[in-house]
Amino acid sequence: MRGMIRVIVPFAVALVAAATVPAATDASPAASASTPTAATPTGEITVAAAASLTAAFGQIASRFEKKYPGTDVTLNADASSALVLQIQSGAPVDVFASADEANMTKLVDDGHVTAKPIDFARNKLEIAVKPGNPAKIKSLADLARAGVVALCAAAVPCGNYADAALDAAGVTIPADHITRAANATATLTALSAGDADAAVVYVTDVKGAGKAVAGVKIPDAQNQVAIYPIAPLAAAANPTTAKAFAKYVASPAGEKVLEQYGFLAP
């Protein structure tokens, strides 16, 4: 991860000329005042984002940099829970975007985030299968007989959501038929690489994989809704640009990009 820099943005100073007022008037004395203007985003920031946001945030970062020349966004994508541990261990991060509210709450509770997090997107789960669906998977129930099923690690959001969906469907997959991966991206890779016959990931992951995999929808009654919050870090080295990026992600411009990748409005 690149080192962080602190960018100090000077405030513009407005000079107010002193006016001579007759002694008989009741006017206020003239004075010179410094009037700060809104700071312009510039410099580098590091954004720690859930792995499922990688492609969408890549495009959002490019658009942000174009909107604010002189900015440089570095994306660190991983499981939300892993990112929280990095931040709590002192990793230099300016903005955190989580795939669930629980991991954001951890940073709020320990003081790493003091601003109010903004919910900027939602997501759902989908079963990913090989092209042509050779295993004939039509529902979560069919995963109980599938050869190997790839799931995210139980400690990360996509793993928690997948376990909850299986519970809602009353499905138990034999433990020796499950392979766990570190995050949603790695879980989908297990399928596309031939290490699994099916995977439970986000709708956005299946959409982003294109023709490499096929998707099997999960009914709403069994599905789980992932809520994505974003916030600048209290110790951000570049707070001005960090706040601006978080605001941009939640703006109509950011939402438009997210929708293109399959995310739902917050």
Side-chain angles (χ1 to χ4, degrees), residues 8 12 18 21 26 30 41 43 50 74 82-83 90 96 102 142 146 148-149 155 183 188 190 210 219 231 239 258:
I8 300 176
V21 182
D26 205 17
T74 296
L83 295 172
F96 175 53
D142 292 331
V148 176
V149 178
N183 53 51
L188 190 63
L258 289 161

Side-chain angles (χ1 to χ4, degrees), residues 127-130 135 137 142-151 173-180 187 190-192 194-200:
I127 302 170
V129 296
K130 296 176 181 179
I137 303 297
D142 292 331
L143 297 180
R145 61 168 179 75
V148 176
V149 178
L151 302 176
I173 302 173
D176 59 349
H177 286 192
I178 296 175
T179 180
R180 298 271 185 175
T187 300
L191 173 66
S192 59
D195 296 327
D197 299 287
V200 179

Side-chain angles (χ1 to χ4, degrees), residues 100-154:
D100 66 354
E101 294 176 302
N103 279 290
M104 179 64 77
T105 298
K106 293 177 184 178
L107 296 185
V108 171
D109 289 346
D110 67 15
H112 281 90
V113 169
T114 55
K116 183 178 180 180
I118 302 171
D119 293 340
F120 66 92
R122 292 179 300 138
N123 210 344
K124 290 186 177 182
L125 297 176
E126 190 167 9
I127 302 170
V129 296
K130 296 176 181 179
N133 195 3
K136 306 300 180 184
I137 303 297
K138 297 181 180 180
S139 68
L140 289 173
D142 292 331
L143 297 180
R145 61 168 179 75
V148 176
V149 178
L151 302 176
C152 293

Side-chain angles (χ1 to χ4, degrees), residues 10-16 31-39:
F11 293 114
V13 179
L15 299 179
V16 180
S32 294
S34 294
T35 305
T37 59

Side-chain angles (χ1 to χ4, degrees), residues 4-97:
M4 302 307 303
I5 60 173
R6 184 179 295 279
V7 179
I8 300 176
V9 181
F11 293 114
V13 179
L15 299 179
V16 180
T20 301
V21 182
T25 67
D26 205 17
S28 300
S32 294
S34 294
T35 305
T37 59
T40 302
T42 187
E44 300 178 352
I45 58 171
T46 293
V47 177
S52 52
L53 292 166
T54 303
F57 265 36
Q59 185 172 342
I60 287 176
S62 295
R63 295 191 179 192
F64 180 82
E65 291 169 347
K66 185 176 181 179
K67 180 178 176 66
Y68 297 107
T71 59
D72 185 3
V73 180
T74 296
L75 181 63
N76 174 26
D78 204 339
S80 301
S81 53
L83 295 172
V84 167
L85 290 176
Q86 293 174 24
I87 292 169
Q88 292 175 330
S89 298
V93 173
D94 296 273
V95 181
F96 175 53

Side-chain angles (χ1 to χ4, degrees), residues 56 60 120-122 204 207 249 251-266:
I60 287 176
F120 66 92
R122 292 179 300 138
T204 52
K207 181 179 177 66
V249 168
S251 73
E255 185 175 315
K256 183 177 180 180
V257 173
L258 289 161
E259 287 179 352
Q260 292 173 355
Y261 284 87
F263 288 92
L264 303 172

